[in-house]
Amino acid sequence: MLLLAIAVVFIGLGWHSAATSGEDASSDLEAAGRNAQTSAEQAPSTGSAKSTAPSSSAVSGAEKVGSVCVLNAGTVTGLAGDVSEALKSKGFEVSGAENLQTSSISENTIFYGEGEEDAAKTLAEAVPGEASPEPRPAAFSKCQGQLAVVVITR
């Protein structure tokens, strides 16, 4: 009987929270676009020049994808930098790595614009931990003219 009462209380709290939040994913994305941290994650400099030539593990079609930006929307420090380096090593052109504050994206996602779906699929196969290609929401203003890789986990 006690467990039933506790379950009813938690269901009521959950319903109340959902009903009164007043937010949806598109407004959260819009807020994220305005509040995104623009400081790029920098790898420590070793003083030596790094080669930008694709390695032997280059992904077929990477050169056709175009410029990519990587956004860390998770809690793993340095994740965007790590994913950027992994993509560069596979032959992709990465323009930068930044943090993005949002709670509306819950899995690694690649946002693409009109005519970029094939490029997004090619990129999705190369993202560590997998990623899901999705059409770019109108409210998502980061990385205009590029594929946006939003990472949450490794």
Side-chain angles (χ1 to χ4, degrees):
M1 190 67 160
L2 178 63
L3 291 176
L4 180 61
I6 292 172
V8 169
V9 169
F10 280 111
I11 290 171
L13 287 172
W15 177 82
H16 176 72
S17 176
T20 60
S21 70
E23 296 180 10
D24 62 8
S26 63
S27 67
D28 207 10
L29 278 174
E30 186 173 280
R34 288 191 306 266
N35 297 327
Q37 296 177 357
T38 57
S39 63
E41 297 176 358
Q42 299 292 324
S45 176
T46 59
S48 62
K50 291 184 179 180
S51 171
T52 58
S55 69
S56 61
S57 64
V59 173
S60 175
E63 68 281 354
K64 296 179 184 176
V65 168
S67 185
V68 173
C69 74
V70 181
L71 303 166
N72 181 355
T75 58
V76 179
T77 302
L79 182 58
D82 293 346
V83 171
S84 293
E85 290 303 315
L87 292 174
K88 286 178 186 178
S89 73
K90 293 179 181 180
F92 292 94
E93 177 189 337
V94 179
S95 67
E98 300 178 19
N99 290 323
L100 176 69
Q101 293 182 350
T102 182
S103 61
S104 64
I105 302 171
S106 60
E107 64 180 20
N108 294 346
T109 305
I110 298 172
F111 288 132
Y112 63 88
E114 188 175 324
E116 297 178 317
E117 185 173 4
D118 289 339
K121 287 178 181 178
T122 299
L123 181 59
E125 293 174 5
V127 172
E130 299 182 1
S132 170
E134 300 289 334
R136 180 187 296 268
F140 190 80
S141 61
K142 298 293 289 177
C143 307
Q144 291 295 326
Q146 301 176 315
L147 292 176
V149 179
V150 181
V151 290
I152 306 294
T153 60
R154 292 189 193 273

